[in-house]
Amino acid sequence: MTQTKKPRPKAQTSHNRIAQVFYNQRLAGILAETPEGFQFTYDDDYLAGGTPIAFTFPLQESAFDFLNQTTVARKALYLRKLR
């Protein structure tokens, strides 16, 4: 019996740069630059039996998003305007 992988949400498609991240010579995931900053997503095969690449990166299917300083400043300004 073949096990099918459940579909995962796709990362944003407008990446400028993409890098493969290896941990102990094994592909752990993809680090991609996005318009808002950076995004790291674990590889499906790595999720099945890998260890977290850092304490702040627990194994999870959803992507980790890192906002650049411009995006953070814009969001802070927007939130101030809402008050």
Side-chain angles (χ1 to χ4, degrees), residues 51-72:
T51 57
I53 60 171
F55 291 116
T56 55
F57 289 90
L59 293 176
Q60 66 182 40
E61 290 184 359
S62 58
F64 294 91
D65 292 312
F66 307 92
L67 302 178
N68 64 32
Q69 293 302 318
T70 304
T71 302
V72 171

Side-chain angles (χ1 to χ4, degrees), residues 2-71:
T2 330
Q3 185 178 7
T4 58
K5 292 182 182 179
K6 73 176 185 181
R8 289 178 39 196
K10 294 290 182 191
Q12 296 180 13
T13 56
S14 59
H15 299 304
N16 294 327
R17 296 181 288 179
I18 296 175
Q20 294 178 323
V21 176
F22 287 83
Y23 187 76
N24 290 332
Q25 300 179 351
R26 184 174 170 200
L27 177 64
I30 300 295
L31 178 65
E33 184 178 28
T34 68
E36 293 81 27
F38 291 89
Q39 186 176 71
F40 175 77
T41 307
Y42 276 110
D43 181 73
D44 287 333
D45 293 332
Y46 192 83
L47 281 173
T51 57
I53 60 171
F55 291 116
T56 55
F57 289 90
L59 293 176
Q60 66 182 40
E61 290 184 359
S62 58
F64 294 91
D65 292 312
F66 307 92
L67 302 178
N68 64 32
Q69 293 302 318
T70 304
T71 302

